[in-house]
Amino acid sequence: AIINSVVFPAIAVEKMPSNFVRAVNFPRLAPGFKVGNAASGVICECFVDFCCPYSRKMFKVLWPMTSDFGSKMQFVFHNVIQPWHHQSLWLHESVFAVKFLYPEAESCYWMALFAESPKYYDAEIYSLTRAEFYDKIAGFGADVIVGDRSDLKRNDVKTRILQYLIPPKQRRGNFPEEASVTFGSRPDDDENALFPMTRQVVKFQRKRGVHVTPTVFFNGIEQMQISSSWSKDEWYAFLNEASL
C-alpha cells in the first residue's frame, strides 16, 4: 500500500558559480535515515538492504517500536548496497534522491519501499534495463510523495527524481545544477548526480565492517545475537534493557 505523505517545505537551493564542484570528501547529507532522541546517549544502528528479505522482515517488526523507544534512544537505518543484487544500487539511489528532494517524505518512502520491495527482487525485475528500472522506481517514488495532495503533480515529481537517477550524458539525462554543491557531481560525469553519495555510503559500510544484512550495532558495537527472525517480544525485551 502507498503511504500518504505530509506537506513538504520548498528546498532552498544555494546559488553557486556554474563551474563550482563540492570538493570535500564527505556527503553534505549524512547517510542513513534517523529517528528518535539523538541526545539519549543510546544509538541503535541497523544496516539494511531493500533487496534483502531478511532486512524487510526485521524492519517490519522494528519500525513500529521506534515510536515506543524513540524518546529513549536514536534509531539509524543505514543503506547497504549489496552487489549480488544488481538493482540494490538503483533502489538505494532512489532513496538518496527522495532524501534530498523531499526530506519530509523520507520516512514514508522507507516504509513504502520496504512494504513493496518484493516487487523489486531479482526474479521480478530480471528483464528490465537500467533505464526501465529507473522509470519504474521514479514512478513509485512519485506515487508515495504525491499521495492525495492536489498541489503536486505526479509527473513533475517523477521527472525531478529522474534528474538524479539518469546519467546526464544518457538519453533523457538532465543534470540538476544543485547536485554540484550537494554531492560534488558534474554535468559531464559518466555516472548520475548521486554517484558521489553512493561511493561515500559504500565506503562507510565497508569501514564499519558490514557484509550481510541486516546487521545491528548499539553504541558502535555489533550485536551478533540479534536476528532478523526476532519477534516483537524479543525486540521489546532487548530495547527495554538497552534503554535502562
Side-chain angles (χ1 to χ4, degrees):
I2 301 299
I3 301 171
N4 291 334
S5 49
V6 296
V7 177
F8 313 121
I11 296 174
V13 177
E14 187 175 353
K15 280 294 183 183
M16 301 294 288
S18 59
N19 62 345
F20 178 86
V21 177
R22 182 174 171 81
V24 294
N25 189 29
F26 61 87
R28 183 174 180 180
L29 296 176
F33 167 50
K34 301 177 181 179
V35 60
N37 183 6
S40 65
V42 181
I43 301 177
C44 171
E45 296 176 282
C46 304
F47 288 77
V48 294
D49 176 31
F50 293 104
C51 291
C52 172
Y54 305 106
S55 292
R56 180 176 186 261
K57 185 176 182 180
M58 189 189 77
F59 186 85
K60 287 178 67 178
V61 175
L62 183 58
W63 172 253
M65 306 190 78
T66 61
S67 298
D68 299 327
F69 290 92
S71 62
K72 300 178 180 180
M73 64 183 68
Q74 183 181 49
F75 295 85
V76 184
F77 294 93
H78 287 296
N79 304 81
V80 177
I81 300 168
Q82 294 290 27
W84 46 84
H85 302 298
H86 73 273
Q87 75 279 23
S88 174
L89 167 62
W90 305 338
L91 287 173
H92 288 282
E93 284 178 330
S94 74
V95 173
F96 302 154
V98 171
K99 181 183 184 70
F100 173 65
L101 293 170
Y102 307 98
E104 297 300 321
E106 188 174 16
S107 62
C108 294
Y109 192 59
W110 272 76
M111 288 186 285
L113 191 52
F114 262 127
E116 301 294 322
S117 60
K119 295 180 179 179
Y120 301 100
Y121 286 173
D122 298 8
E124 282 67 32
I125 61 90
Y126 177 79
S127 62
L128 296 181
T129 66
R130 181 180 179 182
E132 290 170 337
F133 190 95
Y134 277 163
D135 190 77
K136 185 180 180 72
I137 197 63
F140 175 76
D143 287 337
V144 175
I145 291 163
V146 173
D148 295 328
R149 293 181 58 188
S150 59
D151 60 322
L152 284 177
K153 295 182 179 179
R154 179 184 184 275
N155 221 33
D156 292 343
V157 174
K158 179 181 177 181
T159 298
R160 193 79 170 101
I161 294 173
L162 284 172
Q163 269 194 284
Y164 281 81
L165 297 180
I166 300 175
K169 291 183 178 180
Q170 301 302 321
R171 189 174 69 88
R172 297 174 63 197
N174 181 19
F175 183 79
E177 292 183 7
E178 65 272 16
S180 294
V181 177
T182 308
F183 301 110
S185 45
R186 300 175 57 96
D188 57 351
D189 286 342
D190 290 327
E191 266 304 336
N192 63 26
L194 296 164
F195 186 61
M197 181 84 167
T198 298
R199 288 188 300 178
Q200 291 156 347
V201 166
V202 172
K203 182 177 183 179
F204 178 74
Q205 162 199 336
R206 290 173 176 172
K207 288 287 188 180
R208 296 295 298 275
V210 173
H211 177 57
V212 299
T213 53
T215 297
V216 180
F217 290 75
F218 264 79
N219 284 358
I221 304 299
E222 184 177 356
Q223 303 298 300
M224 301 289 290
Q225 75 276 31
I226 293 179
S227 169
S228 60
S229 64
W230 269 19
S231 66
K232 179 180 178 180
D233 290 341
E234 288 174 300
W235 266 111
Y236 190 91
F238 184 87
L239 294 175
N240 190 54
E241 184 176 355
S243 62
L244 292 177

